Amino acid sequence: MHTSKLSVLSVAILLATGFGVSVRAATELQAIEVTSGKLEHDLDRTSASVTVVDAADLRARGARDLGSALAMVAGVEATPGGDGGPASSVPALWGLREFDAFLLLVDGVPWGGAFVPALASIDLTGVERIEVMRGAAPVSYGATAFVGVIHVIHYAPGAVPDRIEFGLGSRGSSRAALTWSPKTTGAVAQSFAATLERQALAADRANYDRAQLQYRTGAEVGSGSLGFDGDVSILKQDPASPFPREGRQLSVRVPIDAKHNPSDAEQDENRAAFRLHYQQDTALGAWSSLLAHTDNDTTKGFLREDFSDGSSINADGFRQNRNIDDLYFDTHLVKQIGGQTRLLVGADYLYGNGQQDSQNFEYAVRPDGHQSPSSFSRPIDEFTDSRVRRHFLGDYVEVDYAASEKWNIDAGVRINYTDEKRGGAFESGDGSESESSAESRNTTRLTGALGTSCRFWQDAGDDLVGYANYKNTFKPAVADLGPEAEAEIIKPEKASSGEIGLRGHNLQGKLDWNLAMFYMDFNNLVLTQAVNGLPSLTNLSNRRDVVSESELGDAQFYRLPARSLWVSLNYDFGG
């Protein structure tokens, strides 16, 4: 492998094999809506690895968050918690666990915009299905869909079931949820979904309270359909602490679930998102837009690498207020050419404006987490602020060609224009020192995809389908809005990938299975590092990962690299 000072090529070769056990009535294959692309496909005609988890699956699994919803999806890990707090998760697709390596969509629009996916604000009340695509989506979504797409799709307005849910759990946990489609007259349809929950986790003082309300309405306007969605969430979190290491081993001086945050730790997030969309099957095509605002208040702290017993300063903390505004707009046209070809031409624009103001301090805490002080009892060592503005614009073309009833080819190309500006300022606690800096970066890059699928055999509800794809993509590195006054914009990440596989349905459509092999080459992978005891980002200089995994329809086996084996089976019975 060739290594340079500026970038290093890391190769991941992943082997996915399996056969599925899913007992259910044979049903017509579901269409994929704006996940592998903005052109809809039946599952047996897509050239990508896509898994659909529908509402029945979510209820059977008792899923209340993405982690539990995606626990049985091969190629996806959604570990709960992480930097987003106990209500969030840390998804990994194709073995790459990074802040923004995947795209989170909610009803067709990026959720989290040009920054980090807004995982903590995801609630599954009123969700019809979740579609998961492994691999990049470099044409339809460009720079934000690096290694995969997780698409949360709600019931259409007026279609959500009328249902009330209530649950109680250990440690004072509780949940109440309501979905309701009021009876309306005329062409207007409406739906409501509301959730109140409290989750108390095993870690001491780690819990969260959530209140969320969603309203959806739609109406026929002229020869098209106009819709409006509103989603408001209030999230209060008491975060846990990462488990420290000493050298290469986990510290033996720290009890499991010890918390080293200041006594007034918080990680609260309030988010309001509003979507307006219109679709018309004429030359006017379809468009969708989203406007969202997120406000975060965070107080956290971290043990230093060589922490003492707590008799002297051994931790760094910060109080931060962060605000993020997102704006998304997409418009595209679909043209049927003859009976075999569909052409899609479109453009989208994603804007993000983020800012943070932090007060950083140091403090002492015992390794067992006791005697942690309040952040307001500590003198402020430095005041920092940073501002980030991101503009992502893309023009894209997709072509879907049905060469025959059995053979399908899809291809696409996209021109990406990205513009980023960042500024940071620092002032010491006593005002004796101050500095500021600014940086900008512009990138224009072509990305694309080519794929094919072929149905080799079909008999009633059974079939055998082969598929393959190649994709080339890139993304600007995650914009860190941490407590450091950093203005540096690190290098964009680049990747190319290929996949080939077989999937089938047997026993009259009751048995699903999938067999695939894929690879991914990437440059400039982003790595988290510590700067003055607080988290920061840099481009990785050298890394090679080799992972293998396999899926059994709704059951799967995971084999992590030469370390462990995890086996899980799930049976769904339905009429």
Side-chain angles (χ1 to χ4, degrees):
M1 181 174 65
H2 176 70
T3 303
S4 69
K5 294 179 64 176
L6 295 178
S7 65
V8 176
L9 181 64
S10 298
V11 181
I13 302 175
L14 300 93
L15 175 64
T17 62
F19 53 94
V21 181
S22 178
V23 182
R24 64 186 71 177
T27 58
E28 183 179 349
L29 290 173
Q30 239 178 349
I32 300 169
E33 182 180 345
V34 293
T35 297
S36 62
K38 291 188 171 74
L39 288 172
E40 295 184 2
H41 293 86
D42 288 338
L43 280 175
D44 65 342
R45 298 187 71 88
T46 181
S47 63
S49 294
V50 179
T51 299
V52 178
V53 183
D54 61 23
D57 293 328
L58 295 174
R59 290 197 300 273
R61 300 173 189 181
R64 294 175 286 100
D65 51 35
L66 275 183
S68 54
L70 304 181
M72 303 301 295
V73 179
V76 180
E77 302 170 63
T79 307
D83 289 340
S88 187
S89 57
V90 189
L93 283 81
W94 279 9
L96 183 58
R97 191 182 301 276
E98 195 179 329
F99 294 95
D100 63 340
F102 72 98
L103 172 65
L104 177 64
L105 292 175
V106 175
D107 299 315
V109 297
W111 204 250
F115 292 92
V116 177
L119 289 159
S121 66
I122 291 293
D123 178 62
L124 301 187
T125 303
V127 170
E128 180 186 29
R129 68 187 188 274
I130 301 175
E131 298 176 355
V132 182
M133 186 190 77
R134 276 81 72 185
V139 178
S140 296
Y141 301 103
T144 56
F146 195 54
V147 295
V149 180
I150 298 176
H151 191 178
V152 178
I153 301 173
H154 292 88
Y155 283 96
V160 64
D162 296 338
R163 180 178 292 119
I164 297 177
E165 301 176 13
F166 181 73
L168 294 174
S170 60
R171 303 175 64 90
S173 297
S174 61
R175 184 176 187 271
L178 166 71
T179 54
W180 177 46
S181 293
K183 306 303 179 184
T184 57
T185 59
V188 178
Q190 301 179 81
S191 293
F192 292 88
T195 303
L196 288 172
E197 68 175 323
R198 174 177 176 80
Q199 294 295 325
L201 307 177
D204 292 340
R205 293 181 287 156
N207 56 70
Y208 65 88
D209 297 273
R210 183 205 307 273
Q212 193 147 355
L213 175 65
Q214 183 188 79
Y215 171 71
R216 307 194 75 198
T217 185
E220 300 298 320
V221 177
S223 57
S225 58
L226 178 67
F228 171 80
D229 304 337
D231 188 293
V232 178
S233 63
I234 300 174
L235 180 63
K236 305 294 183 182
Q237 301 186 99
D238 292 329
S241 294
F243 199 96
R245 294 186 302 177
E246 292 187 273
R248 295 189 175 185
Q249 305 296 325
L250 295 178
S251 174
V252 297
R253 297 189 291 140
V254 177
I256 295 177
D257 297 333
K259 185 174 178 179
H260 305 107
N261 288 318
S263 60
D264 56 338
E266 63 178 358
Q267 194 165 356
D268 301 340
E269 177 177 303
N270 301 323
R271 178 177 170 85
F274 305 97
R275 173 178 174 244
L276 186 66
H277 51 98
Y278 182 76
Q279 182 167 346
Q280 186 172 357
D281 294 330
T282 67
L284 294 177
W287 58 261
S288 181
S289 60
L290 177 79
L291 177 65
H293 174 78
T294 304
D295 178 80
N296 295 83
D297 290 300
T298 300
T299 300
K300 295 178 70 176
F302 303 89
L303 283 176
R304 292 176 176 174
E305 184 175 358
D306 298 319
F307 59 91
S308 66
D309 59 4
S311 59
S312 59
I313 297 299
N314 63 352
D316 296 282
F318 65 94
R319 290 196 305 268
Q320 182 189 76
N321 175 258
R322 179 191 305 174
N323 291 277
I324 296 176
D325 293 305
D326 299 320
L327 174 65
Y328 174 74
F329 180 79
D330 171 83
T331 182
H332 58 266
L333 305 173
V334 179
K335 175 69 173 178
Q336 187 75 37
I337 303 175
Q340 292 80 33
T341 305
R342 290 183 299 165
L343 174 67
L344 180 144
V345 180
D348 59 21
Y349 171 63
L350 183 60
Y351 167 77
N353 181 29
Q355 59 183 40
Q356 68 84 15
D357 296 281
S358 296
Q359 301 173 24
N360 301 337
F361 54 91
E362 55 185 17
Y363 62 103
V365 59
R366 286 171 48 180
D368 61 8
H370 292 162
Q371 298 180 351
S372 59
S374 165
S375 66
F376 289 96
S377 69
R378 302 300 304 160
I380 302 301
D381 297 324
E382 58 183 20
F383 298 89
T384 67
D385 67 78
S386 57
R387 305 290 185 269
V388 181
R389 290 188 180 181
R390 315 186 93 188
H391 303 266
F392 298 165
L393 177 66
D395 302 313
Y396 57 89
V397 177
E398 294 184 43
V399 177
D400 182 74
Y401 174 60
S404 68
E405 184 180 347
K406 299 180 179 180
W407 183 25
N408 199 79
I409 301 172
D410 57 83
V413 65
R414 177 187 181 100
I415 302 176
N416 300 273
Y417 312 93
T418 67
D419 177 80
E420 301 180 77
K421 292 181 174 63
R422 179 164 188 149
F426 154 84
E427 183 179 347
S428 61
D430 58 9
S432 61
E433 298 179 62
S434 65
E435 62 180 58
S436 62
S437 58
E439 189 170 321
S440 64
R441 183 188 293 270
N442 298 294
T443 303
T444 300
R445 193 176 189 279
L446 194 68
T447 59
L450 175 65
T452 185
S453 66
C454 182
R455 187 170 63 246
F456 299 123
W457 168 79
Q458 184 175 28
D459 181 14
D462 297 349
D463 63 8
L464 174 65
V465 177
Y467 61 95
N469 63 69
Y470 170 80
K471 299 172 182 178
N472 185 278
T473 189
F474 95 112
K475 76 175 183 68
V478 61
D480 181 27
L481 284 170
E484 292 296 321
E486 296 179 343
E488 180 187 9
I489 302 175
I490 58 180
K491 305 179 190 71
E493 299 175 86
K494 306 174 185 178
S496 61
S497 64
E499 182 179 18
I500 184 170
L502 290 171
R503 56 175 171 257
H505 310 278
N506 298 100
L507 302 179
Q508 297 181 346
K510 297 179 182 179
L511 174 65
D512 303 331
W513 60 271
N514 185 73
L515 166 67
M517 180 171 61
F518 56 94
Y519 77 91
M520 186 174 188
D521 296 341
F522 48 87
N523 289 304
N524 297 335
L525 186 67
V526 171
L527 176 70
T528 301
Q529 63 177 359
V531 176
N532 297 326
L534 297 175
S536 182
L537 300 176
T538 187
N539 288 112
L540 189 63
S541 59
N542 191 1
R543 171 174 169 173
R544 172 176 289 179
D545 289 339
V546 179
V547 186
S548 62
E549 64 195 13
S550 59
E551 181 176 32
L552 303 174
D554 282 347
Q556 66 184 12
F557 295 89
Y558 271 113
R559 190 181 71 221
L560 300 180
R563 286 195 290 270
S564 63
L565 175 68
W566 179 75
V567 180
S568 177
L569 295 174
N570 183 70
Y571 295 87
D572 290 337
F573 295 91

